[in-house]
């Protein structure tokens, strides 16, 4: 009987824990649902490589929300329409600007929103848009992606030029030049005494000419 009573007690405790967990989950879901958030649209004209739903949104470096939708602009397929959701009362104003940035060394892209001065008016919905639009500008990611082909082309040209400079013919020519310089240096070193003697003779001749010139003038 005691063993059976122990099983009943353990089972009741487990059921109680499960019920408490379910209540907590329901409560958490209600709190999340009741939390109000603001949504904005951002139109990017360049590539948004790596950005996806769930990517972070930061305002001057502070996490405030996430990306909730990404799709091509139906009115202009050259643009990417990104919908973000941020905490209520996030300081996004008419002078705010959105860019793509990379998080640290991980290289994970996120939406960075800068600007938002105190005196600027709040963003409002314009035209038929569903949410207010935050203007965007080219980012570091876009600049790198767009310049990558040019950088690669220049690197290939540089390698080709280096390969041509280091050809067998040029290497032999450089070797001959270095050898000639070494021979000339050795020769000058061996003739240094003669050179000094010659310079001394020239100095003596100059002195004699000066003395003769002084005598003539007297």
């Amino acid at each position: 009987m005691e063993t059976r009573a122990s099983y009943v007690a353990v089972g009741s405790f487990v059921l109680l824990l499960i019920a408490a967990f379910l209540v907590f989950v329901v409560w958490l879901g209600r709190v999340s649902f009741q939390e109000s958030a603001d949504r904005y649209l951002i139109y990017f004209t360049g590539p948004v490589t790596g950005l996806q739903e769930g990517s972070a949104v930061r305002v001057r470096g502070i996490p405030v929300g996430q990306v909730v939708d990404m799709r091509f602009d139906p009115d202009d397929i050259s643009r990417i329409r990104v919908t973000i959701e941020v905490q209520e009362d996030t300081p996004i104003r008419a002078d705010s600007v959105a860019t793509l940035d990379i998080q640290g060394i991980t290289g994970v892209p996120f939406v960075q929103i800068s600007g938002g001065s105190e005196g600027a008016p709040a963003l409002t919905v314009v035209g038929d848009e569903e949410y207010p639009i935050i203007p965007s500008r080219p980012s570091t990611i876009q600049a790198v992606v767009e310049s990558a082909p040019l950088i690669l082309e220049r690197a290939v040209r540089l390698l080709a030029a280096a390969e041509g400079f280091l050809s067998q013919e040029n290497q032999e020519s450089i070797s001959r030049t270095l050898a000639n310089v070494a021979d000339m240096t050795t020769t000058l070193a061996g003739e240094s005494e003669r050179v000094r003697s010659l310079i001394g003779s020239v100095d003596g001749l100059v002195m004699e000419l000066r003395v003769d010139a002084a005598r003539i003038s007297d």
Side-chain angles (χ1 to χ4, degrees):
M1 295 292 294
E2 293 181 0
T3 303
R4 184 175 182 182
S6 299
Y7 288 157
V8 171
V10 172
S12 300
F13 180 72
V14 172
L15 290 175
L16 183 61
L17 285 179
I18 294 174
F21 177 74
L22 292 176
V23 171
F24 174 75
V25 171
V26 172
W27 174 81
L28 185 63
R30 288 181 178 178
V31 170
S32 299
F33 180 78
Q34 291 173 357
E35 273 189 7
S36 56
D38 297 327
R39 288 195 172 191
Y40 296 90
L41 293 176
I42 305 172
Y43 288 95
F44 291 105
T45 56
V48 291
T49 307
L51 195 69
Q52 58 187 354
E53 294 183 17
S55 295
V57 176
R58 298 172 181 264
V59 173
R60 284 171 283 180
I62 299 177
V64 295
Q66 63 180 352
V67 174
V68 296
D69 184 67
M70 293 178 58
R71 63 185 65 190
F72 288 104
D73 180 9
D75 299 324
D76 185 357
I77 60 173
S78 66
R79 302 193 305 176
I80 306 297
R81 191 178 87 163
V82 177
T83 305
I84 63 171
E85 187 175 77
V86 301
Q87 301 169 4
E88 188 180 21
D89 299 328
T90 298
I92 296 178
R93 300 288 186 267
D95 59 347
S96 296
V97 179
T99 59
L100 288 183
D101 209 337
I102 298 178
Q103 182 175 345
I105 60 175
T106 60
V108 177
F110 65 93
V111 177
Q112 178 76 276
I113 300 175
S114 58
S117 57
E118 185 68 27
L123 280 176
T124 57
V125 177
V126 178
D128 298 331
E129 296 289 353
E130 187 176 3
Y131 306 111
I133 300 175
I134 303 176
S136 68
R137 67 183 177 194
S139 62
T140 304
I141 297 177
Q142 182 176 349
V144 170
V145 172
E146 291 181 349
S147 62
L150 180 59
I151 295 175
L152 180 60
E153 181 181 354
R154 290 180 177 177
V156 171
R157 290 181 180 177
L158 181 60
L159 290 175
E163 183 178 358
F165 177 77
L166 297 176
S167 64
Q168 185 66 29
E169 182 179 354
N170 286 339
Q171 290 181 20
E172 293 176 355
S173 176
I174 294 173
S175 298
R176 288 194 298 270
T177 301
L178 293 176
N180 292 335
V181 171
D183 292 341
M184 183 182 299
T185 303
T186 303
T187 302
L188 290 176
E191 298 293 333
S192 58
E193 291 297 332
R194 293 183 180 180
V195 172
R196 282 195 294 268
S197 177
L198 179 61
I199 293 175
S201 299
V202 171
D203 289 339
L205 179 61
V206 171
M207 290 296 298
E208 291 179 2
L209 290 175
R210 286 179 178 178
V211 172
D212 293 341
R215 290 176 181 175
I216 295 173
S217 61
D218 292 338

Coordinates of all heavy atoms in Angstrom, one line a residue, residues 96-161:
S96 N 15.3 59.8 -39.7 CA 16.0 58.5 -39.5 C 16.3 57.9 -40.9 O 15.6 58.0 -41.9 CB 15.1 57.5 -38.7 OG 14.8 58.0 -37.4
V97 N 17.4 57.1 -40.9 CA 17.9 56.5 -42.1 C 18.3 55.1 -41.8 O 18.9 54.8 -40.8 CB 19.1 57.2 -42.7 CG1 19.6 56.5 -44.0 CG2 18.7 58.7 -43.0
A98 N 17.9 54.1 -42.7 CA 18.2 52.7 -42.5 C 19.3 52.3 -43.5 O 19.3 52.7 -44.6 CB 16.9 51.9 -42.7
T99 N 20.2 51.4 -42.9 CA 21.3 50.8 -43.7 C 21.4 49.4 -43.3 O 20.9 49.0 -42.3 CB 22.6 51.6 -43.5 OG1 23.0 51.5 -42.1 CG2 22.5 53.0 -44.0
L100 N 22.1 48.6 -44.1 CA 22.5 47.3 -43.7 C 23.9 47.3 -43.1 O 24.8 48.0 -43.7 CB 22.5 46.3 -44.9 CG 21.1 45.9 -45.5 CD1 21.3 44.9 -46.6 CD2 20.3 45.4 -44.4
D101 N 24.1 46.6 -42.0 CA 25.4 46.6 -41.4 C 25.7 45.1 -41.0 O 24.9 44.2 -41.1 CB 25.4 47.4 -40.1 CG 26.8 48.0 -39.8 OD1 27.8 47.4 -40.3 OD2 26.9 49.0 -39.1
I102 N 27.0 44.9 -40.6 CA 27.5 43.6 -40.3 C 27.8 43.5 -38.8 O 28.5 44.4 -38.3 CB 28.7 43.2 -41.2 CG1 28.2 43.1 -42.6 CG2 29.2 41.8 -40.7 CD1 29.4 42.8 -43.6
Q103 N 27.4 42.5 -38.2 CA 27.6 42.4 -36.7 C 29.0 41.7 -36.4 O 29.1 40.5 -36.6 CB 26.5 41.6 -36.1 CG 26.6 41.4 -34.6 CD 25.5 40.7 -34.0 OE1 24.4 40.6 -34.6 NE2 25.6 40.2 -32.7
G104 N 29.9 42.5 -36.0 CA 31.2 42.0 -35.5 C 31.9 41.1 -36.6 O 31.8 41.3 -37.8
I105 N 32.7 40.1 -36.0 CA 33.4 39.2 -36.9 C 32.6 38.1 -37.4 O 33.0 37.3 -38.2 CB 34.6 38.7 -36.1 CG1 34.1 37.9 -34.9 CG2 35.6 39.8 -35.7 CD1 35.2 37.2 -34.1
T106 N 31.3 38.0 -36.9 CA 30.5 36.9 -37.4 C 30.0 37.2 -38.8 O 29.6 36.2 -39.5 CB 29.3 36.7 -36.4 OG1 28.5 37.9 -36.4 CG2 29.8 36.4 -35.0
G107 N 29.9 38.4 -39.1 CA 29.4 38.8 -40.5 C 27.9 38.6 -40.7 O 27.4 38.6 -41.8
V108 N 27.2 38.6 -39.5 CA 25.7 38.5 -39.6 C 25.1 39.8 -39.9 O 25.3 40.8 -39.2 CB 25.1 37.9 -38.3 CG1 23.6 37.8 -38.4 CG2 25.7 36.5 -38.0
P109 N 24.4 40.0 -41.0 CA 23.8 41.3 -41.4 C 22.6 41.7 -40.5 O 21.9 40.8 -40.1 CB 23.5 41.2 -42.8 CG 23.2 39.7 -43.0 CD 24.1 39.0 -42.1
F110 N 22.4 42.9 -40.3 CA 21.2 43.4 -39.6 C 20.9 44.8 -40.1 O 21.7 45.4 -40.8 CB 21.5 43.4 -38.1 CG 22.5 44.4 -37.6 CD1 22.2 45.7 -37.2 CD2 23.9 44.0 -37.6 CE1 23.2 46.6 -36.8 CE2 24.9 44.9 -37.2 CZ 24.5 46.2 -36.8
V111 N 19.7 45.3 -39.7 CA 19.3 46.6 -40.1 C 19.7 47.6 -39.1 O 19.3 47.5 -37.9 CB 17.7 46.6 -40.3 CG1 17.3 48.0 -40.7 CG2 17.3 45.7 -41.4
Q112 N 20.4 48.6 -39.5 CA 20.9 49.6 -38.6 C 20.1 50.9 -38.9 O 20.1 51.3 -40.1 CB 22.4 49.9 -38.7 CG 22.9 51.0 -37.9 CD 23.1 50.6 -36.4 OE1 22.1 50.7 -35.7 NE2 24.2 50.1 -36.0
I113 N 19.5 51.5 -37.9 CA 18.8 52.8 -38.1 C 19.5 53.9 -37.4 O 19.7 53.8 -36.1 CB 17.3 52.7 -37.7 CG1 16.6 51.5 -38.5 CG2 16.6 54.0 -37.8 CD1 15.2 51.3 -38.0
S114 N 19.9 54.9 -38.1 CA 20.5 56.0 -37.4 C 19.7 57.3 -37.6 O 18.6 57.3 -38.2 CB 21.9 56.3 -38.1 OG 21.7 56.5 -39.5
G115 N 20.1 58.4 -36.9 CA 19.4 59.6 -36.9 C 18.3 59.6 -35.9 O 18.3 58.8 -34.9
G116 N 17.2 60.3 -36.1 CA 16.1 60.4 -35.2 C 16.3 61.4 -34.1 O 16.4 61.1 -32.9
S117 N 16.5 62.7 -34.5 CA 16.7 63.7 -33.6 C 15.4 64.1 -32.8 O 14.3 63.8 -33.3 CB 17.2 65.0 -34.3 OG 16.3 65.4 -35.3
E118 N 15.6 64.7 -31.7 CA 14.5 65.0 -30.8 C 13.4 65.9 -31.4 O 12.2 65.7 -31.3 CB 15.0 65.7 -29.5 CG 14.0 65.9 -28.4 CD 13.5 64.6 -27.8 OE1 14.2 63.6 -27.8 OE2 12.3 64.6 -27.3
G119 N 13.8 66.9 -32.2 CA 12.9 67.8 -32.7 C 12.2 67.4 -34.1 O 11.3 68.1 -34.6
A120 N 12.7 66.3 -34.6 CA 12.1 65.9 -35.9 C 10.7 65.3 -35.7 O 10.5 64.6 -34.7 CB 13.1 64.8 -36.5
P121 N 9.9 65.4 -36.7 CA 8.5 64.9 -36.6 C 8.5 63.4 -36.7 O 9.5 62.8 -37.3 CB 7.7 65.5 -37.7 CG 8.8 65.9 -38.7 CD 10.0 66.2 -38.0
A122 N 7.5 62.7 -36.2 CA 7.4 61.3 -36.3 C 7.0 60.9 -37.8 O 6.4 61.7 -38.5 CB 6.3 60.8 -35.4
L123 N 7.4 59.7 -38.2 CA 7.1 59.2 -39.5 C 5.6 58.8 -39.6 O 5.0 58.3 -38.6 CB 7.9 57.9 -39.8 CG 9.3 58.1 -40.3 CD1 10.0 56.8 -40.4 CD2 9.4 58.9 -41.6
T124 N 5.0 59.1 -40.7 CA 3.6 58.8 -40.9 C 3.4 58.1 -42.2 O 4.3 58.1 -43.1 CB 2.7 60.1 -40.9 OG1 3.2 61.0 -42.0 CG2 2.8 60.9 -39.6
V125 N 2.3 57.4 -42.3 CA 2.0 56.7 -43.6 C 1.8 57.6 -44.7 O 1.0 58.6 -44.6 CB 0.8 55.8 -43.4 CG1 0.4 55.0 -44.6 CG2 1.0 54.8 -42.2
V126 N 2.4 57.3 -45.8 CA 2.2 58.2 -47.0 C 1.6 57.4 -48.1 O 2.0 56.2 -48.4 CB 3.6 58.7 -47.5 CG1 3.5 59.5 -48.8 CG2 4.3 59.5 -46.4
G127 N 0.6 58.0 -48.8 CA -0.1 57.3 -49.9 C -0.8 56.1 -49.5 O -1.5 56.0 -48.5
D128 N -0.6 55.1 -50.4 CA -1.3 53.8 -50.1 C -0.5 52.8 -49.4 O -0.8 51.6 -49.3 CB -1.7 53.2 -51.5 CG -2.7 54.0 -52.3 OD1 -3.4 54.8 -51.6 OD2 -2.6 54.0 -53.5
E129 N 0.7 53.2 -48.8 CA 1.5 52.3 -48.1 C 0.9 51.8 -46.8 O 0.1 52.5 -46.2 CB 2.9 53.0 -47.8 CG 3.7 53.4 -49.0 CD 4.3 52.1 -49.7 OE1 4.1 51.0 -49.1 OE2 4.9 52.3 -50.8
E130 N 1.2 50.6 -46.4 CA 0.6 50.0 -45.2 C 1.2 50.6 -44.0 O 0.5 50.7 -42.9 CB 0.8 48.5 -45.3 CG 0.0 47.8 -44.2 CD 0.2 46.3 -44.4 OE1 0.9 45.8 -45.3 OE2 -0.4 45.5 -43.6
Y131 N 2.5 50.9 -44.0 CA 3.2 51.4 -42.8 C 4.1 52.6 -43.3 O 4.4 52.8 -44.4 CB 4.1 50.3 -42.3 CG 3.4 49.0 -41.9 CD1 3.7 47.8 -42.7 CD2 2.5 48.9 -40.9 CE1 3.0 46.7 -42.4 CE2 1.8 47.7 -40.6 CZ 2.1 46.6 -41.4 OH 1.4 45.4 -41.1
P132 N 4.6 53.3 -42.3 CA 5.5 54.4 -42.6 C 6.8 53.9 -43.2 O 7.2 52.8 -42.9 CB 5.8 55.1 -41.2 CG 4.6 54.7 -40.4 CD 4.2 53.3 -40.9
I133 N 7.4 54.7 -44.1 CA 8.6 54.3 -44.8 C 9.8 55.0 -44.2 O 9.9 56.2 -44.1 CB 8.5 54.6 -46.3 CG1 7.3 53.9 -46.9 CG2 9.8 54.2 -47.0 CD1 7.1 54.2 -48.4
I134 N 10.8 54.2 -43.8 CA 12.1 54.7 -43.4 C 13.0 54.8 -44.6 O 13.3 53.8 -45.2 CB 12.8 53.8 -42.3 CG1 11.8 53.7 -41.1 CG2 14.1 54.4 -41.8 CD1 12.3 52.7 -40.0
P135 N 13.6 56.0 -45.0 CA 14.5 56.1 -46.1 C 15.7 55.2 -45.9 O 16.1 55.0 -44.7 CB 14.8 57.6 -46.2 CG 13.7 58.2 -45.4 CD 13.3 57.3 -44.3
S136 N 16.3 54.7 -47.0 CA 17.5 53.9 -46.9 C 18.6 54.6 -47.7 O 18.4 55.4 -48.5 CB 17.3 52.5 -47.4 OG 17.0 52.5 -48.8
R137 N 19.8 54.1 -47.4 CA 21.0 54.6 -48.1 C 22.0 53.4 -48.3 O 21.9 52.5 -47.6 CB 21.7 55.8 -47.4 CG 22.3 55.4 -46.1 CD 22.9 56.6 -45.4 NE 23.5 56.3 -44.1 CZ 23.9 57.1 -43.2 NH1 23.7 58.4 -43.5 NH2 24.4 56.8 -42.1
P138 N 22.8 53.5 -49.3 CA 23.8 52.4 -49.6 C 24.6 52.1 -48.3 O 25.0 53.0 -47.6 CB 24.7 52.9 -50.7 CG 23.8 53.9 -51.4 CD 23.0 54.6 -50.3
S139 N 24.8 50.8 -48.1 CA 25.5 50.4 -46.9 C 26.9 49.9 -47.2 O 27.3 49.8 -48.4 CB 24.8 49.3 -46.2 OG 24.7 48.2 -47.1
T140 N 27.7 49.5 -46.2 CA 29.0 48.9 -46.4 C 28.9 47.6 -47.2 O 29.7 47.3 -48.0 CB 29.7 48.7 -45.0 OG1 29.7 49.9 -44.3 CG2 31.1 48.2 -45.2
I141 N 27.9 46.8 -46.8 CA 27.7 45.5 -47.5 C 27.5 45.8 -49.0 O 28.1 45.1 -49.9 CB 26.5 44.8 -47.0 CG1 26.8 44.4 -45.5 CG2 26.2 43.5 -47.7 CD1 25.6 43.7 -44.8
Q142 N 26.6 46.7 -49.4 CA 26.3 47.0 -50.8 C 27.6 47.5 -51.5 O 27.8 47.1 -52.6 CB 25.2 48.1 -50.9 CG 24.8 48.4 -52.3 CD 23.6 49.4 -52.4 OE1 23.0 49.6 -51.3 NE2 23.4 49.9 -53.5
A143 N 28.3 48.4 -50.9 CA 29.5 48.9 -51.5 C 30.5 47.8 -51.7 O 31.2 47.7 -52.8 CB 30.2 50.0 -50.6
V144 N 30.7 46.9 -50.8 CA 31.6 45.7 -51.0 C 31.2 44.8 -52.1 O 32.0 44.4 -52.9 CB 31.8 45.0 -49.6 CG1 32.6 43.7 -49.9 CG2 32.5 45.8 -48.6
V145 N 29.9 44.5 -52.1 CA 29.4 43.6 -53.1 C 29.5 44.2 -54.5 O 29.9 43.5 -55.5 CB 27.9 43.2 -52.8 CG1 27.3 42.4 -54.0 CG2 27.8 42.4 -51.5
E146 N 29.2 45.5 -54.6 CA 29.2 46.1 -55.9 C 30.6 46.3 -56.4 O 30.9 46.3 -57.6 CB 28.5 47.4 -55.9 CG 27.0 47.3 -55.7 CD 26.3 48.6 -55.7 OE1 26.9 49.7 -55.6 OE2 25.0 48.6 -55.7
S147 N 31.6 46.5 -55.5 CA 33.0 46.8 -55.9 C 33.8 45.5 -56.1 O 34.9 45.5 -56.5 CB 33.7 47.7 -54.9 OG 33.7 47.1 -53.6
A148 N 33.2 44.4 -55.6 CA 34.0 43.1 -55.7 C 34.4 42.7 -57.1 O 35.6 42.4 -57.2 CB 33.1 42.0 -55.1
P149 N 33.6 42.8 -58.1 CA 34.1 42.5 -59.5 C 35.2 43.4 -59.9 O 36.2 42.9 -60.5 CB 32.8 42.7 -60.4 CG 31.7 42.5 -59.4 CD 32.1 43.1 -58.1
L150 N 35.2 44.7 -59.6 CA 36.3 45.6 -60.0 C 37.5 45.3 -59.3 O 38.6 45.3 -59.9 CB 35.8 47.0 -59.7 CG 36.9 48.1 -60.1 CD1 37.2 48.1 -61.6 CD2 36.3 49.5 -59.7
I151 N 37.4 45.0 -58.0 CA 38.6 44.6 -57.2 C 39.2 43.3 -57.7 O 40.5 43.2 -57.8 CB 38.2 44.4 -55.7 CG1 37.8 45.8 -55.1 CG2 39.4 43.9 -54.9 CD1 37.3 45.7 -53.7
L152 N 38.4 42.3 -58.1 CA 38.9 41.1 -58.6 C 39.6 41.3 -59.9 O 40.7 40.7 -60.2 CB 37.7 40.1 -58.8 CG 38.1 38.7 -59.3 CD1 39.1 38.0 -58.4 CD2 36.8 37.9 -59.5
E153 N 39.0 42.1 -60.8 CA 39.6 42.4 -62.1 C 41.0 43.1 -61.9 O 42.0 42.7 -62.6 CB 38.7 43.3 -62.9 CG 39.3 43.6 -64.3 CD 38.3 44.6 -65.1 OE1 37.2 44.9 -64.6 OE2 38.7 45.0 -66.2
R154 N 41.1 44.0 -61.0 CA 42.4 44.7 -60.8 C 43.4 43.7 -60.2 O 44.6 43.8 -60.5 CB 42.2 45.9 -59.8 CG 41.4 47.0 -60.4 CD 41.2 48.2 -59.5 NE 40.6 49.3 -60.1 CZ 40.2 50.4 -59.4 NH1 40.5 50.6 -58.1 NH2 39.6 51.4 -60.1
A155 N 42.9 42.8 -59.3 CA 43.9 41.8 -58.8 C 44.4 40.9 -59.8 O 45.6 40.6 -59.8 CB 43.1 41.0 -57.7
V156 N 43.5 40.5 -60.8 CA 44.0 39.7 -61.9 C 45.0 40.4 -62.7 O 46.0 39.8 -63.1 CB 42.8 39.2 -62.7 CG1 43.2 38.5 -64.0 CG2 41.9 38.3 -61.9
R157 N 44.8 41.7 -63.0 CA 45.7 42.4 -63.8 C 47.1 42.6 -63.1 O 48.1 42.5 -63.7 CB 45.1 43.8 -64.1 CG 44.0 43.8 -65.1 CD 43.5 45.2 -65.3 NE 42.4 45.3 -66.2 CZ 41.7 46.4 -66.6 NH1 42.1 47.6 -66.1 NH2 40.7 46.4 -67.4
L158 N 47.0 42.8 -61.8 CA 48.2 42.9 -61.0 C 49.0 41.6 -61.0 O 50.3 41.7 -61.2 CB 47.9 43.3 -59.6 CG 49.1 43.6 -58.6 CD1 49.9 44.7 -59.2 CD2 48.6 43.9 -57.2
L159 N 48.3 40.5 -60.9 CA 49.0 39.2 -60.9 C 49.6 39.0 -62.3 O 50.7 38.4 -62.4 CB 48.0 38.1 -60.5 CG 47.6 38.1 -59.1 CD1 46.5 37.0 -58.9 CD2 48.8 37.8 -58.2
A160 N 48.9 39.3 -63.3 CA 49.4 39.2 -64.7 C 50.7 40.0 -64.9 O 51.7 39.6 -65.5 CB 48.4 39.5 -65.7
A161 N 50.6 41.3 -64.4 CA 51.8 42.1 -64.6 C 53.0 41.6 -63.8 O 54.1 41.6 -64.2 CB 51.4 43.5 -64.1

